[in-house]
Amino acid sequence: MKFFIDTANLDDIREAQALGILDGVTTNPSLMAREGIKGEKNIQEHYKKICDIVDGDVSAEVISTDFEGMVKEGETLAALHPRIVVKIPIIKEGVKAIKYLTEKGIRVNCTLVFTPGQALLAAKAGASYVSPFIGRLDDISEDGIGLVKQIVDMFNYYGYETEVLAASIRHTRHIIQCMEVGADVITSPLQPILGLLKHPLTDAGLEKFLADYKKVNG
Ligand code: G3P
């Protein structure tokens, strides 16, 4: 399972990269705004900085909602760096843009996916990734992980190569559940990823090992 970090914060990206387990980054307009990055040029520069830190794919989202606008933005974003993947929302114009960009060799991450039907359309249009939003479904008492499983099973059944990128991850348990249902990729803020390390028996065991060593070695 690939690990992407879902942030535009350069320190968090550096920390995850330094761990040696980072496969990519996803961003969205809200995450860019959270870092105070504004204006087209600054946003583009920020994407380049992210690409300089990580080795893997970096998702950069369009803000247009019409076909021409999405294609123009997508081409500009893709030209920034070979590892940029253009993030397109699953709307009617978005499906057309996914098809167009994919045929031009530009990879797309289809975002804001909340149903298997939306994922199916994105895969048929040629998206490299589809991003079901787990946390936002859980927020409204729906089953986010259930959706990831439905999409994984559907893609396996039909042999789609589109990767299932589980997004809107809120806690460590979500990452484990994604692993259990076979998500290809998870994208998560840094803390839920670091949460995977935690276990009280690990801490207690390490403390005892070090204490025993010290007893003999001083
Ligand atoms: O990048 C899309 C997604 O991960 C957003 O997460 O927490 O805003 O629902 P969240």
Side-chain angles (χ1 to χ4, degrees):
M1 188 169 77
K2 291 185 208 165
F3 273 55
F4 288 4
I5 189 164
D6 194 30
T7 184
N9 182 283
L10 298 180
D11 289 337
D12 283 2
I13 295 169
R14 280 191 201 99
E15 191 174 339
Q17 174 67 22
L19 262 181
I21 52 84
L22 192 65
D23 299 301
V25 177
T26 53
T27 61
N28 62 42
S30 305
L31 293 172
M32 293 298 264
R34 191 180 296 169
E35 299 307 314
I37 317 295
K38 57 182 177 199
E40 204 184 326
K41 285 283 156 241
N42 289 332
I43 289 172
Q44 290 176 3
E45 284 310 308
H46 200 74
Y47 283 135
K48 285 197 222 165
K49 283 182 196 165
I50 294 174
C51 290
D52 285 343
I53 299 171
V54 297
D55 300 324
D57 289 346
V58 174
S59 286
E61 188 157 345
V62 301
I63 47 155
S64 301
T65 52
D66 62 301
F67 171 77
E68 283 79 14
M70 281 191 261
V71 163
K72 190 163 170 269
E73 266 190 74
E75 288 175 336
T76 304
L77 290 168
L80 293 175
H81 197 281
R83 288 199 304 275
I84 292 269
V85 176
V86 179
K87 220 169 162 188
I88 303 263
I90 184 67
I91 54 177
K92 195 154 73 171
E93 296 291 285
V95 174
K96 297 180 203 168
I98 293 168
K99 178 86 179 165
Y100 181 90
L101 290 169
T102 300
E103 281 180 353
K104 285 196 79 176
I106 294 173
R107 290 174 307 139
V108 172
N109 171 3
C110 181
T111 190
L112 288 167
V113 168
F114 293 95
T115 70
Q118 291 175 327
L120 179 58
L121 283 177
K124 280 188 74 70
S128 296
Y129 299 99
V130 293
S131 292
F133 278 32
I134 300 172
R136 293 192 195 186
L137 280 172
D138 289 358
D139 286 346
I140 59 162
S141 303
E142 291 195 24
D143 181 7
I145 296 294
L147 173 66
V148 174
K149 181 171 175 12
Q150 276 182 301
I151 299 172
V152 166
D153 290 348
M154 172 182 55
F155 285 1
N156 284 341
Y157 184 82
Y158 287 112
Y160 284 115
E161 283 176 14
T162 304
E163 292 186 70
V164 182
L165 194 172
S168 186
I169 282 179
R170 301 283 169 74
H171 48 73
T172 303
R173 177 90 191 116
H174 270 157
I175 301 178
I176 301 296
Q177 289 172 308
C178 285
M179 179 192 78
E180 287 167 350
V181 299
D184 299 292
V185 191
I186 57 98
T187 189
S188 165
L190 183 60
Q191 286 314 315
I193 296 173
L194 295 179
L196 290 167
L197 289 165
K198 289 185 193 151
H199 197 284
L201 291 179
T202 303
D203 297 339
L206 182 59
E207 204 177 314
K208 174 127 179 46
F209 287 155
L210 296 181
D212 288 345
Y213 176 89
K214 220 171 163 191
K215 259 188 245 163
V216 179
N217 294 277

